[in-house]
Structure formats: structure tokens, C-alpha cells
Amino acid sequence: MLTQEETELLTRVGRGTPMGELMRRYWMPICLTEEIPEPDCDPYRVRILGEDLVAFRDSQGRVGVMEERCPHRRASLAIGRNEEGGLRCLYHGWKIDVEGNVLDTPCEPDGSTFKDRVKHRAYPVREHAELVWAYMGPAALVPPFPTFEWSLLPPSHRSWAKSRAECNWLQGLEGNVDYAHATVLHSGWAIMGTWEHDDWHRPTKDTNPRHEVEDTAYGFRYAAISRHVDEPDRLKWVQAMSFAMPFHGLLGGQAHMFVPIDDEHYWNFNVFYNREQPVNHERHLAARHHVIGVDLNPDRTRIQTVANNFLQDREAMRARRSFSGIAGNGPNQDMAVLETMGPISDRTEEHLGASDLAVIHVRQLLLDAVRTFQAGGEPRGLDPSIRWDQIYGGTAVIPIDAPWQRVGEAVAGAATYSPWQR
């Protein structure tokens, strides 16, 4: 378990907090490009790391990410006019471009140079792989941009989804590295002694696989190693995953980013991809329960919430048609357990076991990173030599005496198992 002081250190992300300042040293996904689709479209209001921001695409198609409130009298630029190369505030007409330059101050006297002495807070931006990214840290310390494998594929080979979670970002990340929950929450029939309802079709029936971790320059790799259901003396099934600083989780054919909105909410950006062929985006959204109007509200909050008990079907549970009673293998079930921990889980009351190895490891790695950063050192994951496109996750059946690290080699050139891509 963590102490309360350690929990505070890892979960607080506002400007001036140790974790908040650490996260600002990395490139952050801000929104999907489809949320600002064309020149002079509606500005998009977004909150990241406790900062209220506005993203917009100007008349030339350039993207800006800046502080939401106008530097004049602090009215919101998200309700401003997007036209002729900048956002114009409705209050007094100040106009600001994507770099934070004040272009016009119509209420000032003719010939005034006031606008030349004001600079609005705007962040460096990259558009890459259907995402808008921003760097929110010191201008002199911009790190190399992380080009993951999924981001280098053709757009037709990946499917993006985004949803808002009503809890702290660390709960989402811990859920991602916690392999053990899949055998219960998502496939609970295993612990009830029957498999006829199992939708995962995995080549194992282990409910307590062996867990191993291996530190890397970008974070760490970890694996859940299970006995093969048919040939346990010759084969093993490995699910290998990677954690990359500060919030990236990479599995087979999918990647997740747990981007803090503030201390008690986060954005879950997730991409599912296929190396060899295009993917059906609409089918993937439906399978992942990310369809707006069905699973999500227009603002990407979830329709299934704590307030409605995640639409849990207790009758289906009693009739043994469903283990959890929560429709949606994966996202809805995950959010039910993560959000019911509370906005920030009280980790001083936990009792961790052997299956929590990766959860313990990610906490320790993050604590080490924050403390290194506080002491003036360079945190993990900012080394320019890191090959982001070589960070893999995946699953494979391999010989029982083969090192589990081979799964990464296999993933690089072959399609991998995913419950979403059966």
C-alpha cells in the first residue's frame, strides 16, 4: 500500500505540484483532430492537468492550444469568434493567434502598441495520428516527439476512441497494468468453475498466472505467464504489456493513454490497430462501447455511471447469464470498479497480494521518477535515443522454456490476439 503522502505525490497534477510539473515535461494528447475538424471551426474547450484550455484550427488550418481565458479581462475564448487567423474575444474584441500573439485590441487608442507587450499563454502543438498534442512544460526543454508504432501506420489501420473517467488518472493506469482482474471482472466464470460463458477464448484456464517485470529506458515491460490449456508441459501463454512514461499502456494491437483532466478526472484515449490491414472503425467503437448516443454522451461522459449503478442487471447475475451484470466486456466494467473506488482511492486501506506485482511496480517507478525530478534529475522516458516505435505489447503461445521477452519479437511481425479482434 501507499502512504497518504505518497498518494498525494502521485495523484495531484495541477501546476506547481511535483507530478503535475513532471507530466508537463512530456508531450500530451489534448484532443482528437475530429474535434476541431476544419479551418475556422468551433473552438474546443478542454481541461488538461487542471488547466482550462481552448484548442482551435485557424483560417490556414494551423492548430493552436492556449489558455482559455482572454489575457485582457479573462472572458472565455472558447465562446469567441474563430476567424481570419485567430480567436477574437467577444468581450472587447481582442484577437489572438495560435502562437499566443495578440493581433488586435480594437478598444485601445489608434497607434497603441499595447498588444505588442502582451503574450498569451499558448503551447507548442503537433498534429499526429489523428491527435492534437501539446507540450506544456518549459520552452527550453521540449523533448523528442514520441512516434509509437501505431502512430506510423496508415489512418485506415487504426481506430480511435475517447471517453471521460470520473476518477483520478492513476486508477486508470493501475487498472491497465493489472492483468489479474481480467480473469475475474471480464471473465468471472473462471472462478465459478465453468467456462461456457467465457467470451475471451484464451488458450489457458489459469486464474493465477505468474507475473514478471523488466525495467526499460521508457518505463517497464511486464508479463502474465500462464499454462497452456492443452499442452501445459510444453507450452505457455504469455500476455506481455508495456508501460511508457508518463501514462501510456501498450497491449497487443491496442494502446491507452490516461491523461489527467485534473486531480479527480481523466481522459482515456485509446487506439486499436492492425499492422496488416484496415480496421472497421464503427465496429470497433461498438465493440469497445464508445458510440456517442449509445454508450457516451456528446461530451464523451459515460451513460453508465455510479448514479445509475452502471445499469447493472442483477437478474442476469442471479440467472448466471452475466458475472458482473454490467454490459460491455472491458470499458464499462472497468469504469464501474475504478470509479467506485472514489475520486482518489484511499490506498492506505489496501491489502496487496502477489497478483499486484505490476501495480506495485508502476507506483514505485512513478515515485522514483517524481523524486528524481524533485532532486533536479532527468526522469525516465525523456532519453532521445528511445525507439518509441519498438515498444510493443501482445500475446503469444511459446515454448515453456522460452523467455517471455520473445513475445515482443513475435509481435513486431505478426498479428496478435485481442478479444476485440476475434
Side-chain angles (χ1 to χ4, degrees), residues 6 32 73 92 100 115 136 187 196 224 245 255 272 291 321:
E6 290 170 331
L32 303 174
R73 293 280 298 281
H92 297 92
K115 66 181 178 60
M136 301 170 65
S187 187
E196 63 263 28
M245 286 286 290
F272 282 61
V291 178
R321 296 193 307 272

Side-chain angles (χ1 to χ4, degrees), residues 19-177:
M19 180 57 79
E21 293 302 314
L22 171 68
M23 283 203 170
R24 284 167 172 80
R25 291 290 308 277
Y26 300 84
W27 284 93
M28 312 279 296
I30 300 298
C31 64
L32 303 174
T33 57
E34 68 184 54
E35 292 171 310
I36 45 171
E38 59 189 14
D40 292 336
C41 64
D42 296 346
Y44 177 75
R45 179 187 282 113
V46 63
R47 184 171 168 84
I48 298 289
L49 297 179
E51 294 189 31
D52 294 320
L53 307 174
V54 60
F56 69 105
R57 192 179 299 276
D58 73 6
S59 306
Q60 300 174 39
R62 299 181 303 169
V63 174
V65 172
M66 64 176 63
E67 186 178 352
E68 179 188 345
R69 291 173 179 84
C70 177
H72 178 214
R73 293 280 298 281
R74 309 297 290 161
S76 173
L77 292 168
I79 62 169
R81 300 180 64 89
N82 185 9
E83 60 186 9
E84 299 174 350
L87 285 184
R88 188 179 293 278
C89 181
L90 298 183
Y91 200 6
H92 297 92
W94 281 36
K95 186 176 183 179
I96 302 167
D97 72 7
V98 295
E99 296 177 346
N101 300 308
V102 180
L103 304 179
D104 192 20
T105 54
C107 295
E108 294 299 305
D110 291 343
S112 170
T113 60
F114 184 35
K115 66 181 178 60
D116 301 323
R117 289 177 275 129
V118 178
K119 183 79 170 182
H120 193 45
R121 179 181 287 168
Y123 294 117
V125 172
R126 284 279 296 270
E127 263 194 286
H128 182 69
E130 300 87 59
L131 287 179
V132 172
W133 305 69
Y135 170 72
M136 301 170 65
L141 298 174
V142 181
F145 188 81
T147 50
F148 290 96
E149 179 201 34
W150 53 260
S151 73
L152 301 176
L153 296 173
S156 60
H157 286 51
R158 56 180 172 251
S159 169
W160 272 109
K162 172 188 169 186
S163 60
R164 176 183 164 110
E166 306 300 309
C167 62
N168 181 262
W169 76 279
L170 187 59
Q171 282 153 241
L173 175 61
E174 289 171 345
N176 188 252
V177 303

Side-chain angles (χ1 to χ4, degrees), residues 199-220:
D199 292 328
W200 286 69
H201 302 287
R202 293 163 298 170
T204 184
K205 291 185 178 181
D206 276 357
T207 59
N208 56 343
R210 188 173 82 254
H211 300 267
E212 295 188 15
V213 298
E214 176 183 77
D215 285 330
T216 66
Y218 56 79
F220 67 89

Side-chain angles (χ1 to χ4, degrees), residues 39 90 101 129 139 172 201 215 218 246 249-250 270 285 331 345 375 387 395-396 413:
L90 298 183
N101 300 308
H201 302 287
D215 285 330
Y218 56 79
L250 297 102
N270 58 87
L285 287 181
S345 178
R387 287 291 307 275
T395 64

Side-chain angles (χ1 to χ4, degrees), residues 149 218 221-222 238-243 249-254 273 275 390-396 407-412 414 416-417:
E149 179 201 34
Y218 56 79
R221 297 186 69 208
Y222 54 107
V238 176
Q239 179 155 341
M241 296 154 272
S242 294
F243 163 70
L250 297 102
L251 292 80
Q254 55 182 292
Y273 62 97
R275 298 171 184 85
Q390 297 297 311
I391 303 174
Y392 302 118
T395 64
V407 172
E409 299 168 8
V411 168
T416 60
Y417 165 85

